[in-house]
Amino acid sequence: NRKTQIKLTTLLPRMVLAMVVTAFSGYIIGTLISFSNIAVQLVFNLSDVKTIGVVNNFLLQAGNIIGGGSTVQSVAQLLVSASVSIFFAFFVFASVARQIILIMLIILAPVAAFSLLSNRWQRYFNIYVRALLATVFVPVVLAFIMKVGLSINPLVLDPIGSYGGLQGLLGLILMLV
């Protein structure tokens, strides 16, 4: 069939490209992960707003920040502690899932590279590249969201101010998000 015939002049460069991509896939993926880590560090160093340490300090004092009676403070501390526990459990799960996905993508790199041989299979290579880039650069996006949330948080902007009621609650919600 004329449509399914593959010319050697078309196949040979694609095969060489597939072999090169396969040979260097580990290095390419490792470099992308390194760029992702550097980008996360750059995001955290964008301004003087403190990040993780200040989050921990305010979450430990959630009841005092909201104010009110001791029952309100206890409920606020309980809700914040539960939310933080759920967040960290999700964070651990997401980190492990990301590592598993990266390992699978490294293993699938030769298959993805050899999908370049046929025009009909090239879409699988495109899907592979999109999945790889999304998996590698999601931490950068999350770091940016965290940095923006901390930089607009009233608790971080004025740590010695006394907060209570709605402003303290808003600050804690932003801190949890």
Side-chain angles (χ1 to χ4, degrees):
N1 190 353
R2 204 167 171 89
K3 287 185 178 181
T4 59
Q5 286 181 346
I6 299 174
K7 295 182 180 178
L8 187 58
T9 57
T10 311
L11 183 63
L12 192 57
R14 289 181 182 181
M15 188 170 286
V16 170
L17 177 64
M19 288 188 285
V20 168
V21 168
T22 299
F24 292 106
S25 64
Y27 175 75
I28 293 168
I29 293 171
T31 303
L32 287 173
I33 292 170
S34 296
F35 281 140
S36 171
N37 293 339
I38 291 168
V40 167
Q41 286 179 337
L42 288 174
V43 166
F44 278 128
N45 294 329
L46 279 178
S47 67
D48 294 335
V49 176
K50 295 182 180 178
T51 51
I52 304 301
V54 76
V55 171
N56 190 35
N57 289 337
F58 285 116
L59 293 180
L60 290 175
Q61 299 174 10
N64 297 334
I65 291 170
I66 289 183
S70 63
T71 305
V72 172
Q73 289 182 357
S74 297
V75 169
Q77 188 66 44
L78 179 67
L79 290 175
V80 167
S81 299
S83 300
V84 169
S85 299
I86 290 169
F87 168 76
F88 280 115
F90 175 75
F91 179 75
V92 168
F93 172 75
S95 297
V96 170
R98 179 178 181 253
Q99 295 301 321
I100 291 170
I101 291 169
L102 282 171
I103 290 169
M104 288 176 15
L105 289 171
I106 291 170
I107 291 170
L108 289 174
V111 175
F114 279 96
S115 69
L116 290 170
L117 295 178
S118 169
N119 288 335
R120 290 183 299 174
W121 299 342
Q122 284 183 356
R123 66 183 169 133
Y124 297 116
F125 181 77
N126 295 337
I127 291 170
Y128 173 83
V129 170
R130 284 191 302 252
L132 177 64
L133 291 176
T135 304
V136 167
F137 289 106
V138 159
V140 178
V141 173
L142 294 178
F144 182 75
I145 291 170
M146 181 180 177
K147 192 65 170 187
V148 168
L150 287 174
S151 60
I152 63 173
N153 194 326
L155 298 177
V156 177
L157 295 176
D158 185 17
I160 21 181
S162 63
Y163 297 100
L166 188 58
Q167 190 174 13
L169 182 62
L170 173 67
L172 283 173
I173 290 171
L174 281 172
M175 196 74 70
L176 290 172
V177 173

